[in-house]
Amino acid sequence: MFTRETLLHNLHTHILGKKIFVFDTIDSTNTCAKVLAEINIENGTIVIAEYQTEGRGRLGRSWISDHGKNLLFSIVIKPPIHRSRVGFLPLYTAVSVAQALESYLNIHVECKWPNDILINNKKCCGILLESSFQTDILRYAILGIGINVNQDRFNEELFETATSLKRELNTSIDRVALFQHIVCYLDGNYILLENNDFATIVERWIKRAPMMGNEVTIIHGNEQTTGIAEGIDSQGGLIVRCQDGVKIFYAGDVSIRSSKR
Ligand code: BTN
């Protein structure tokens, strides 16, 4: 079981993780973080749980995770960025988690737009970003991070597409140390948000995104579009060259079809 003491022990950060709320069971760490953000909890506050009864994923999906095996946490951040730049927050989060996984586990990970992290083409981490604005400036964002760490089995629906770090590495991972690594990378990269240095975030993200330059299919609502992923636009959207011109996506699910993969 996580404790505040172990999670904070030797955690040397500037902004993130100065305050941390630890739960065994909660509905959703994102829902809790949102309530705290609404009462103006300090920048960098983290909510972490061993189990969620109503874990939420993107596009109204649920996030299912065994008790005591994974990392389920949400961080309240308050960089004063413009509404038009909020699309970079998933990329900032994904890059930071990817850097932490690479450095702590010495593995190769890939980023899939907008905010999945894959190992060997299977998803090991999902990110749910929720935000609130005052006029056009970000009031707070909740970075909800779910990582399949020591999960052994996945249900039939997820079996083909999901994995855990333990499954990929054949060994159990120390969740506290990994959590601290991730928080340190998010904390180190936070300055990029403060400085509006989205170019560096995109550069680090693209380095880990094999979909760039390849054919992708984007499903958004009832629409399906196929084209070549060409880059990230000035708002964090995905630029896709289709037969009938260039389109930019700000939401959706991407599948990648490529001979290079
Ligand atoms: C996705 O890929 O659909 C995003 C999944 C995000 C799951 C995490 S787990 C911690 C936090 N609390 C939630 O309810 N969701 C996020």
Side-chain angles (χ1 to χ4, degrees):
M1 168 73 191
F2 296 134
T3 64
R4 278 189 71 246
E5 291 66 36
T6 49
L7 291 167
L8 294 180
H9 182 68
N10 281 337
L11 180 68
H12 301 297
T13 51
H14 293 104
I15 293 164
L16 305 197
K18 297 293 172 198
K19 205 170 240 163
I20 185 158
F21 293 82
V22 183
F23 294 88
D24 179 73
T25 301
I26 196 170
D27 51 357
S28 152
T29 56
N30 258 46
T31 305
C32 176
K34 223 164 154 182
V35 170
L36 293 171
E38 284 296 334
I39 58 166
N40 208 18
I41 198 81
E42 70 191 66
N43 193 13
T45 297
I46 301 179
V47 179
I48 185 166
E50 295 279 11
Y51 184 67
Q52 298 182 124
T53 53
E54 287 168 52
R56 295 190 281 114
R58 286 176 60 237
L59 309 172
R61 299 185 187 121
S62 40
W63 184 262
I64 297 162
S65 171
D66 286 356
H67 182 278
K69 298 222 160 162
N70 300 310
L71 281 173
L72 307 164
F73 61 103
S74 302
I75 309 182
V76 180
I77 59 164
K78 306 180 181 183
I81 61 173
H82 191 265
R83 184 189 284 277
S84 61
R85 308 298 194 160
V86 77
F88 290 107
L89 292 179
L91 306 184
Y92 149 76
T93 311
V95 161
S96 306
V97 173
Q99 288 176 315
L101 293 175
E102 287 163 356
S103 84
Y104 183 62
L105 300 170
N106 196 24
I107 47 168
H108 174 69
V109 304
E110 292 177 346
C111 295
K112 188 175 106 171
W113 188 88
N115 40 14
D116 289 349
I117 297 182
L118 314 183
I119 303 177
N120 295 324
N121 288 338
K122 290 188 172 187
K123 177 164 167 174
C124 66
C125 169
I127 293 160
L128 175 66
L129 186 111
E130 296 181 293
S131 46
S132 165
F133 298 89
Q134 181 130 47
T135 59
D136 275 340
I137 301 299
L138 185 72
R139 192 155 71 97
Y140 65 78
I142 312 293
L143 314 176
I145 301 171
I147 304 177
N148 301 326
V149 182
N150 292 322
Q151 179 115 358
D152 294 296
R153 280 184 209 93
F154 291 90
N155 65 28
E156 225 172 275
E157 199 191 322
L158 294 176
F159 189 76
E160 296 278 321
T161 53
T163 192
S164 68
L165 303 177
K166 181 178 175 187
R167 281 182 74 96
E168 296 304 315
L169 295 168
N170 283 317
T171 181
S172 291
I173 312 296
D174 179 338
R175 290 183 300 151
V176 173
L178 179 60
F179 167 82
Q180 293 189 333
H181 250 71
I182 294 168
V183 174
C184 281
Y185 273 98
L186 284 162
D187 189 68
N189 288 332
Y190 187 84
I191 186 81
L192 301 173
L193 300 178
E194 292 259 339
N195 291 345
N196 275 255
D197 183 359
F198 304 113
T200 300
I201 295 174
V202 170
E203 186 192 308
R204 291 178 187 172
W205 186 87
I206 284 184
K207 232 172 72 182
R208 298 174 169 85
M211 64 192 284
M212 285 303 156
N214 284 317
E215 188 176 280
V216 294
T217 296
I218 292 119
I219 298 170
H220 186 217
N222 294 329
E223 275 188 36
Q224 182 166 321
T225 311
T226 296
I228 304 294
E230 285 202 330
I232 299 296
D233 86 335
S234 61
Q235 300 188 21
L238 179 67
I239 305 169
V240 181
R241 181 167 296 278
C242 309
Q243 266 181 346
D244 52 344
V246 170
K247 293 188 182 162
I248 300 181
F249 292 86
Y250 295 102
D253 266 337
V254 177
S255 63
I256 306 163
R257 287 201 216 120
S258 158
S259 51
K260 287 190 208 161
R261 290 187 63 98

